[in-house]
Amino acid sequence: MGPADLVIEVRGLRKAYGPVVAVDGLDLEMTRGEVLALLGPNGAGKTTTVEILEGYRRRDSGHARVLGEDPQHAGAAWRARRGVVLQSCDDVVDLTVRECVHHFSHFYPAPAQPDEVIERVGLGAKRDARIRSLSGGQRRRLDVALGIVGQPELLFLDEPTTGFDPEARRGFWDLVRDLAGEGTSILLTTHYLEEAEALASRVAVISGGRLVDMGPPGELGGRHDRPAEVSWLGPDGWQRTSTHEPTRLVVQLQAAFGGEVPGLTVRRPSLEDIYLELIGAAGAEGGGAPAEGSPARRRTAPAGPPARARVGAAAKAPAEAPAEAPAGGEP
Amino acid sequence: MSATLSEGAGAGLRGAGWAPARPTVSPAKALVKASLSRGHVEVLQFFRSKDAVVFTLALPVVLLALLASILSGHVQGTSVSYSQVYVTGLLAGGLASTSFLNLGVFIATERENGGLKRLAGTPMPRAAYFLGKVVVVLITSVLEVAVLMVMGHFLYGVKFPASLGRWWVFIWVTLLGGTAMTLLGVAASSIPRSARSAGAVLNLPFLVLEFISGVFVPFTQLSHTLLDIAGIFPLRWIAEGYRSALLPSFIQQAEIGHRWDHVQMAAVMGVWCVVALVFAARTFRWTAKGEG
Ligand SMILES: Nc1ncnc2c1ncn2[C@@H]1O[C@H](COP(=O)(O)OP(=O)(O)OP(=O)(O)O)[C@@H](O)[C@H]1O
Ligand SMILES: [Mg+2]
């Protein structure tokens, strides 16, 4: 694959806010047409990375190319080629949905039909409602509409489905799949592992500003080679075995039981298991402690140190510094 | 969310794996289109926040009524009442508050709520944002000036400009003074650290300026030192400009220079346009403090 097929090319990306190193030597590549999901605990540096690539923030060092240009210096023509859905935005409350989407469509050289975009994000029934009156999830859908109205080649979605109800999330997944099917490259961040699994062709896990692992959701952390866990209800109670050859074991069990195996389950590690393991290990080596609220903090990750120790580390980690701390520099 | 609609307008344009051919739009056309759209949306948003409209327009009106009732009488040895002087003063003050103060606070709010950031993420030509602001400020300022002028005429006997020449002064003072104060508002919007503090931060210098520029205190009652300090800034000259358009000529004896010097007024306002523009261009931030 030639470099022309790379929509994002990042090497040794670094960004610090005063003493807080948010991105610490990140390498990332994304090919055209790909859906790449960035996963990582709160404060891992996802938004910082994404906003550097969108052209909002300046990197301290490292190489970054997005759609062939340096995002820090790219102009309006480049901005027309990528769409942005920011993590948080609370503006234009006195317009209707329709007015707002039409308004933003006027900035692009080849916009989609605004009314169609409104339908696509599922706001058809709310087209004439004031934005002020929308629910949180509906507002988020409007954010998505404004991100795609310019028909971008490359779409950045920073936690796009936060606040969506389950049905809306499924609807959004369909939309993302459609966009990807049309050839749009999509970089998304999410805290929902099932979302990454449903949408992403590849997943990148970052922690403490560093890439921990990257690969297709089914292969992350060697997931496809992991032993499967087989459990069943034997004569002496529940049995559980880890094996690389679950099929063989099941056949043997079938023979032993002479038919149906009671309570049989065969389970491979879920993406969440792998994720927690990766984050736990990264937290143990580097300083990048899982911050408050992240899944790893709530559970005991298999390979990590005891939860207690990690909580202590998190309290001291620079990631916990207040956002108001003197920033490294102006944009 | 309907997946069936995805086969709409854009879907056919692209083949997977290839960048679609993008139509190129001339920069001038893009600017005009974006600016018109910005102006439209700004005006819609302003007039939809009804309380903002009412209170913006009402503030100078109420102040005029109050001040005119507090200080009665006439400028020494003339037939010009202090109420009439206040009409010209509050025309200047009203113009400055719709342009400088409201705009400064509003931009600071848009910076904090992410509105500016979102716009900056689109290919919108940056100038379109400012042109949109000019449109809304122009409309609100003209409304403000009209309301005060009508009130001044019917309640306090201020005559409409008596000649074409005076009308011309009235108009260019409004436009040039309004532009200078608008640009200053854009520049000043970067000073407060947050939207919450913007009102407090911008009000202090603005109120001081209003007091020493002859808005709240008739110019005849101010010391020369204060008027000289105020003379550095455009507001005093806007107020003087309105006096020269609306009050009888003999009152110019009471000015510090004993005459109305239109060249000087225009020069100060013009210089501030340039200074504020340069400052705004250098300091304007599209994201909140600490981001970036
Ligand atoms: N503007 C800023 N000023 C100072 N520190 C910042 C700023 N933005 C981010 N940080 C810090 O950089 C680190 C990475 O933040 P970032 O927002 O990139 O994380 P994230 O991965 O997007 O987290 P989340 O999942 O919570 O959205 C955090 O420690 C954060 O406190
Ligand atoms: Mg984030």
Side-chain angles (χ1 to χ4, degrees):
Chain A
M1 214 167 293
D5 287 334
L6 288 180
V7 284
I8 292 177
E9 215 186 324
V10 168
R11 277 198 306 277
L13 190 68
R14 224 189 98 88
K15 167 84 182 173
Y17 303 99
V20 181
V21 181
V23 181
D24 190 9
L26 190 73
D27 298 321
L28 206 64
E29 276 186 359
M30 187 172 152
T31 49
R32 191 172 285 281
E34 189 175 20
V35 179
L36 178 66
L38 276 189
L39 300 180
N42 292 135
K46 300 181 297 296
T47 297
T48 303
T49 303
V50 168
E51 292 203 355
I52 289 172
L53 299 178
E54 288 165 346
Y56 280 116
R57 306 192 190 201
R58 299 186 155 267
R59 58 185 184 272
D60 295 340
S61 61
H63 168 91
R65 282 274 171 289
V66 175
L67 296 171
E69 292 188 48
D70 181 345
Q72 216 154 288
H73 302 114
W78 176 84
R79 286 199 294 276
R81 294 171 59 202
R82 97 275 183 271
V84 169
V85 175
L86 295 168
Q87 185 166 358
S88 62
C89 221
D90 185 24
D91 53 336
V92 293
V93 287
D94 284 315
L95 298 180
T96 68
V97 168
R98 197 175 191 168
E99 285 164 348
C100 189
V101 179
H102 272 268
H103 173 52
F104 274 76
S105 76
H106 292 148
F107 301 148
Y108 292 90
Q113 242 294 309
D115 293 322
E116 228 159 68
V117 172
I118 293 170
E119 289 296 336
R120 282 188 91 166
V121 299
L123 282 178
K126 289 282 179 186
R127 69 176 67 232
D128 293 315
R130 293 279 170 86
I131 294 168
R132 189 185 287 289
S133 73
L134 298 184
S135 74
Q138 289 166 343
R139 249 192 226 208
R140 202 67 191 128
R141 297 191 211 180
L142 176 68
D143 291 339
V144 174
L146 298 181
I148 62 174
V149 72
Q151 304 214 64
E153 284 167 54
L154 169 62
L155 181 60
F156 293 99
L157 300 166
D158 199 356
E159 297 191 25
T161 61
T162 301
F164 278 28
D165 62 50
E167 192 191 350
R169 173 164 297 126
R170 291 300 160 108
F172 176 79
W173 291 359
D174 287 339
L175 173 63
V176 169
R177 289 191 191 108
D178 286 346
L179 290 168
E182 290 160 23
T184 310
S185 315
I186 297 168
L187 177 63
L188 91 146
T189 75
T190 181
H191 287 297
Y192 302 103
L193 292 145
E194 74 276 18
E195 184 161 288
E197 185 140 39
L199 297 177
S201 41
R202 275 193 313 152
V203 173
V205 177
I206 64 177
S207 175
R210 273 184 230 159
L211 187 69
V212 177
D213 198 6
M214 177 150 72
E219 293 170 23
L220 202 72
R223 188 176 167 199
H224 56 301
D225 304 326
R226 296 294 181 97
E229 193 177 81
V230 181
S231 59
W232 69 94
L233 187 59
D236 316 320
W238 283 102
Q239 306 286 313
R240 174 183 301 219
T241 307
S242 215
T243 171
H244 281 284
E245 297 175 311
T247 318
R248 205 174 141 133
L249 179 60
V250 170
V251 170
Q252 284 171 356
L253 283 169
Q254 189 200 18
F257 280 94
E260 200 53 37
V261 183
L264 175 71
T265 54
V266 179
R267 188 174 167 276
R268 298 267 180 191
S270 68
L271 184 57
E272 182 160 294
D273 296 332
I274 301 285
Y275 168 81
L276 291 173
E277 198 181 302
L278 288 170
I279 293 301
E285 298 163 12
E292 201 164 341
S294 74
R297 167 94 185 263
R298 278 184 266 114
R299 300 152 185 250
T300 312
R308 207 160 225 303
R310 284 208 313 285
V311 174
K316 271 184 256 121
E320 299 289 298
E324 281 296 310
E330 290 292 277
Chain B
M1 292 185 202
S2 157
T4 49
L5 276 149
S6 62
E7 294 310 311
L13 277 174
R14 316 185 202 161
W18 288 100
R22 284 184 182 263
T24 45
V25 178
S26 82
K29 243 178 151 174
L31 179 63
V32 170
K33 191 172 171 191
S35 303
L36 287 176
S37 194
R38 280 308 305 164
H40 175 72
V41 158
E42 292 276 8
V43 172
L44 274 184
Q45 282 185 275
F46 178 75
F47 285 102
R48 278 184 187 165
S49 37
K50 300 232 164 40
D51 51 345
V53 177
V54 170
F55 282 89
T56 302
L57 293 181
L59 182 67
V61 169
V62 172
L63 284 176
L64 173 57
L66 270 178
L67 290 168
S69 70
I70 289 166
L71 193 63
S72 54
H74 292 79
V75 179
Q76 253 180 352
T78 70
S79 58
V80 176
S81 72
Y82 280 121
S83 317
Q84 292 171 336
V85 175
Y86 271 130
V87 172
T88 59
L90 279 147
L91 276 169
L95 179 73
S97 75
T98 48
S99 49
F100 174 81
L101 197 59
N102 285 349
L103 192 59
V105 174
F106 192 49
I107 294 178
T109 311
E110 284 187 308
R111 182 174 290 125
E112 187 154 298
N113 70 19
L116 278 182
K117 187 172 181 180
R118 199 202 299 263
L119 286 173
T122 72
M124 175 193 79
R126 303 280 161 108
Y129 174 77
F130 301 103
L131 291 173
K133 290 287 181 223
V134 169
V135 170
V136 72
V137 167
L138 207 66
I139 290 176
T140 50
S141 298
V142 166
L143 270 179
E144 182 80 80
V145 166
V147 168
L148 285 169
M149 196 55 227
V150 168
M151 180 176 170
H153 182 74
F154 290 105
L155 286 185
Y156 305 113
V158 174
K159 299 224 165 31
F160 286 110
S163 65
L164 260 172
R166 283 186 153 224
W167 266 115
W168 168 235
V169 172
F170 187 81
I171 291 169
W172 73 248
V173 166
T174 304
L175 292 182
L176 187 61
T179 306
M181 294 311 285
T182 302
L183 291 169
L184 272 171
V186 174
S189 73
S190 300
I191 298 170
R193 281 194 64 86
S194 72
R196 212 162 1 118
S197 65
V201 171
L202 298 186
N203 250 310
L204 176 69
F206 185 63
L207 276 175
V208 170
L209 202 59
E210 282 191 306
F211 268 101
I212 65 174
S213 298
V215 172
F216 295 149
V217 181
F219 69 105
T220 49
Q221 315 289 86
L222 288 165
S223 75
H224 284 200
T225 320
L226 281 183
L227 279 171
D228 281 339
I229 294 171
I232 301 170
F233 301 100
L235 189 55
R236 189 197 120 186
W237 303 101
I238 297 172
E240 194 168 325
Y242 279 127
R243 290 198 288 274
S244 75
L246 298 170
L247 299 182
S249 307
F250 57 77
I251 201 86
Q252 63 187 303
Q253 294 305 324
E255 303 281 358
I256 357 179
H258 302 295
R259 65 187 200 90
W260 288 320
D261 186 345
H262 286 134
V263 175
Q264 189 177 13
M265 292 177 205
V268 176
M269 294 181 214
V271 166
W272 272 102
C273 286
V274 176
V275 170
L277 185 66
V278 170
F279 185 81
R282 294 180 68 95
T283 60
F284 198 83
R285 285 179 286 112
W286 294 86
T287 51
K289 263 208 167 104
E291 274 185 52

